[in-house]
Amino acid sequence: MEGRWGVGLIGVMLFLGMLVGCIYAQDNADTITAVYIVILKQAPTSHYYGELRVKHGHHIKHNGSQRSRLDTARNTSRTGGHHGSYIDRVHDSLLRKALRGEKYLKLYSYRYLINGFAVLVTPQQADKLSRRREVSNVVLDFSVRTATTHTPQFLGLPQGAWAQEGGFETAGEGVVIGFIDTGIDPTHPSFSDDTPGKPYPVPEHFSGICEVTRDFPSGSCNRKLIGARHFAASAITRGIFNATQDYASPYDADGHGTHTAAIAAGNHGIAVVVAGHHFGNASGMAPRSHIAVYKALYKSFGGFAADVVAAIDQAAQDGVDIISLSITPNRRPPGIATFFNPIDMALLSAVKAGIFAVQAAGNTGPSPKSISSFSPWIFSVGAAAHDRIYSNSIVLGNNITIQGVGLAPGTDTDAMYTLVSAIHALNDTTAANDMYVSECQDASNFNQDVVRGNLLICSYSIRFVLGLSTIKQALETAKNLSAAGVVFYMDPYVIGFQLNPVPMRIPGIIIPSPDDSKVLLQYYNSSLGRDGTTKKIVKFGGVASISGGIKANFSRAAPKIMYYSARGPDPEDSSLDDADILKPNIVAPGNYIWSAWSCRGTDSVEFEGESFAMMSGTSMAAPHVAGLAALIKQKFPFFTPAAIGSALSTTASLSDRNGGPIMAQRAYANPDLNQSPATPFDMGSGFVNATAALDPGLIFDSSYDDYMSFLCGINGSSPVVLNYTGQSCGVSTMNATDLNLPSITISKLNQSAIVQRTVTNIGSNETYSVGWSAPYGASVKVTPTHFSIASGEKQVLSVLFNTTMNSTVASFGRIGLFGTKGHIINIPVSVIVKVSYNTTGG
């Protein structure tokens, strides 16, 4: 298994707007006012960057979907700088001119990803604004609530993809997503079908069943959760199936499967309450889609390919539209090619049946060739951080502030609390040689009179990483001792371990940095008062206060590729020859993801007994894409799996929310201090752009037969292809570079190569211009450089590569197709080895 935020401010802003609106309406009883968002035609600040430069001076038209994300707005009164003030003045001037002498109230100026403002006006005034030549759009505002990971907001779904297709109430309707995972908790409200007065029929093309067992009784399925089975034959025959832990049913004893299913397709507006704290409301990417569960992984042992393949096979038979696979093999497949493994070949058959297959890229990054999802017919997803961050801090008595993690309340404001280390609060009866006593796992070890009302300091050692000690137990100890809170310092032997925020019912903090932990301990030890003769502690002089970590903070340096997300290039075989296929295909939110949790789930001990959990991994990224694929399938039911993948790939974002390049973490230790701009081997085509993917303009299509020709073109593959598919290979000269993928990867460019791609226009008639940037050490020429294409027509593009120098270092370029109706098609180019011969000199 691969798994192990700006709405808060906007909510306050909207509340303020509604409050002011009420007051204003009372003063003008005959006038109805509302908050409108006015977007100007002039590009916002973040649009002044270059992803691609079109030849002959053509400018890029940036995708407009990002401009409508309300959560990127910032209160201009908190920002400085002449440029911001200038934009404010432009907005104020426009309002004065358009609404001469009339009453209105501007709430905010937006100037980062939106150039516009929020204003309280009447509908008539809004109409006046919409007719100004400077204005591109006027939108009636609506309340926005946080969701699972805040990723629906971060991906722009409420204002973009959902809004375009009828709102969250219909998002994904009629589409069935099959989850091959650890099962599901059918009692979770994220999977309820309680939609009074609104029909929610099971799609006619789905023929699956729900197994009924003691753990999964009759009535567990409904019109939302429409299929549930389990597969464990391989595990049972090995004698390792533990019926008491693993449940011989679709029920999820782990938590992972429940989490991934809700990310993709959980109901909208489900309250996230953990450790007694409310963290907003949850929603899946396609909250109206249907769920079918195929349990093939288990708590005590994981899973086996035989069971997984059976699950894939059954899912295809049942008629799912999308398969979400948050699992990867434990080792690189042996044999003549990585593609020839049971899971990938089963998914090839699923693709033949028209099923879009999404797989987690793996959590084995950041090293090159660490990808664990290999085949071109599988959509492999890496993990990126989104913009919401949970962090808290501790302020010491010497005014030093130390940052930490912990989904915990803070101590009382304006009060400092005495710090007491666990090792200085021992009972006299406690054995002095208990080397783990500082981990605070047993309250009977400590003197309650010493701890009561104080902050208890505990150590976080490797035993926590291994699950031998738990935060939960230490918190129980602190509570039993009547501590005011608990502070965990990091043992210096825990190197390069990244902590997820941990829920705490009492004030608490975990200091993840060993260096910061030293600062805490030095202050604490220097503040102790000791008896001059006995050296016994007579006074605890250190004090501190904890600020809470329940409220989210937001970073504009997002998305970024997480250090654990597996990287390309894609290994073609076990000898690590590189395939001419780009992996991962794309990245999506995978870090700090709130989602549903099984009430008996034990994958994360800190969330045991909770109905939601925060997890990180490419496991969390894959179902984001599965849910977004459901939105595409709903809009374009005729799309092939390759067409869905193309729509997601060619429209992906290449910049973070500051307008700069997406960054990739390069190291386990201090990952934010070891990062550089992401390449296609880090992020594939880029960060998923849900709204743009629903209007891709052009698509790159491929069929099952194309994939078969590709497999048959691999040296010595004929008998293997026959074994897996039952089909004989004819003579095939197709290389991987010949596949009609929305990317170009050349593992070895020997002097020159011509690569062709065919695009199909699924939009209206449009004219495109072509621009490109060449990889270092090679030249690129694309023909044609301009073309007009009618709706439904195809266009062949020829790309000529020539080496300009010898090089064994991978380098990257990009081809862009820029349509006159605003479509931008992004094609990443990767060349690894370049071989050149000097032909000059007679």
Side-chain angles (χ1 to χ4, degrees), residues 61 168 214 257 301 313 317 320 345 358 416-418 425 459 471 515 530 789 800:
K61 289 187 180 176
F168 68 82
R214 187 180 64 184
F301 60 86
D313 185 59
Q317 285 184 49
V320 304
M345 295 306 291
V358 184
M416 300 292 275
Y417 293 81
T418 301
S459 68
I471 298 284
D515 291 339
R530 294 182 183 271
I789 184 168
L800 171 63

Side-chain angles (χ1 to χ4, degrees), residues 686-698:
F687 183 79
V688 66
N689 184 332
T691 304
L694 289 175
D695 183 21
L698 306 176

Side-chain angles (χ1 to χ4, degrees), residues 689-708:
N689 184 332
T691 304
L694 289 175
D695 183 21
L698 306 176
I699 57 164
F700 296 75
D701 208 358
S702 296
S703 67
Y704 173 82
D705 290 341
D706 294 328
Y707 300 130
M708 284 293 290

Side-chain angles (χ1 to χ4, degrees), residues 14 16 56 58 64 120 131 186 388 422 454 472 484 501 534 553 638:
L14 291 176
L16 175 65
H56 311 303
H58 292 293
L120 183 71
R131 286 188 264 119
R388 190 180 61 191
N454 299 324
K472 206 167 195 174
T534 64
N553 300 308
F638 60 90

Side-chain angles (χ1 to χ4, degrees), residues 464-779:
F464 285 80
V465 180
L466 299 174
L468 302 174
S469 297
T470 69
I471 298 284
K472 206 167 195 174
Q473 189 54 47
L475 292 169
E476 192 65 26
T477 296
K479 182 182 170 188
N480 290 339
L481 297 172
S482 302
V486 61
V487 181
F488 295 91
Y489 67 89
M490 189 64 65
D491 187 291
Y493 293 104
V494 184
I495 299 169
F497 179 68
Q498 299 297 306
L499 277 167
N500 276 343
V502 176
M504 305 183 194
R505 290 183 181 271
I506 64 173
I509 185 171
I510 309 168
I511 300 171
S513 158
D515 291 339
D516 287 343
S517 297
K518 283 180 192 171
V519 172
L520 167 75
L521 295 177
Q522 283 167 358
Y523 165 72
Y524 170 78
N525 288 324
S526 67
S527 303
L528 292 172
R530 294 182 183 271
D531 183 275
T533 308
T534 64
K535 301 299 182 188
K536 283 190 175 180
I537 297 170
V538 293
K539 182 189 176 189
F540 294 99
V543 293
S545 65
I546 298 172
S547 70
I550 293 170
K551 189 176 179 183
N553 300 308
F554 299 90
S555 164
R556 297 189 63 80
K560 64 183 171 192
I561 315 304
M562 298 309 298
Y563 67 92
Y564 53 76
S565 186
R567 312 296 167 92
D570 187 13
E572 179 164 302
D573 52 41
S574 52
S575 66
L576 295 187
D577 283 343
D578 298 316
D580 294 328
I581 293 162
L582 180 61
K583 292 290 175 180
N585 293 82
I586 210 167
V587 291
N591 209 53
Y592 293 173
I593 306 296
W594 277 123
S595 188
W597 195 244
S598 172
C599 63
R600 292 180 237 172
T602 55
D603 187 25
S604 175
V605 68
E606 313 307 343
F607 290 97
E608 272 190 52
E610 302 287 358
S611 58
F612 281 85
M614 178 180 281
M615 305 291 284
S616 295
T618 56
S619 266
M620 285 65 246
H624 275 90
V625 171
L628 298 176
L631 303 183
I632 298 173
K633 184 74 174 177
Q634 179 186 19
K635 182 173 181 180
F636 301 105
F638 60 90
F639 263 21
T640 64
I644 295 173
S646 172
L648 289 161
S649 296
T650 62
T651 58
S653 299
L654 297 171
S655 58
D656 70 11
R657 304 190 76 169
N658 282 320
I662 293 174
M663 303 298 282
Q665 296 178 337
R666 303 286 177 200
Y668 282 92
N670 299 314
D672 279 335
L673 300 179
N674 293 280
Q675 56 183 24
S676 59
T679 74
F681 290 160
D682 302 314
M683 65 175 181
S685 291
F687 183 79
V688 66
N689 184 332
T691 304
L694 289 175
D695 183 21
L698 306 176
I699 57 164
F700 296 75
D701 208 358
S702 296
S703 67
Y704 173 82
D705 290 341
D706 294 328
Y707 300 130
M708 284 293 290
S709 296
F710 151 69
L711 292 175
C712 287
I714 297 171
N715 246 353
S717 66
S718 293
V720 191
V721 172
L722 184 62
N723 288 344
Y724 273 114
T725 67
Q727 290 180 230
S728 299
C729 283
V731 177
S732 174
T733 56
M734 180 183 265
N735 298 315
T737 50
D738 299 322
L739 278 171
N740 197 39
L741 304 176
S743 59
I744 298 173
T745 303
I746 303 175
S747 58
K748 187 174 183 180
L749 178 60
N750 194 343
Q751 289 192 298
S752 65
I754 295 177
V755 175
Q756 291 192 326
R757 291 290 183 267
T758 302
V759 293
T760 305
N761 185 7
I762 60 139
S764 56
N765 299 355
E766 194 164 2
T767 299
Y768 284 84
S769 57
V770 184
W772 59 85
S773 59
Y776 180 74
S779 66

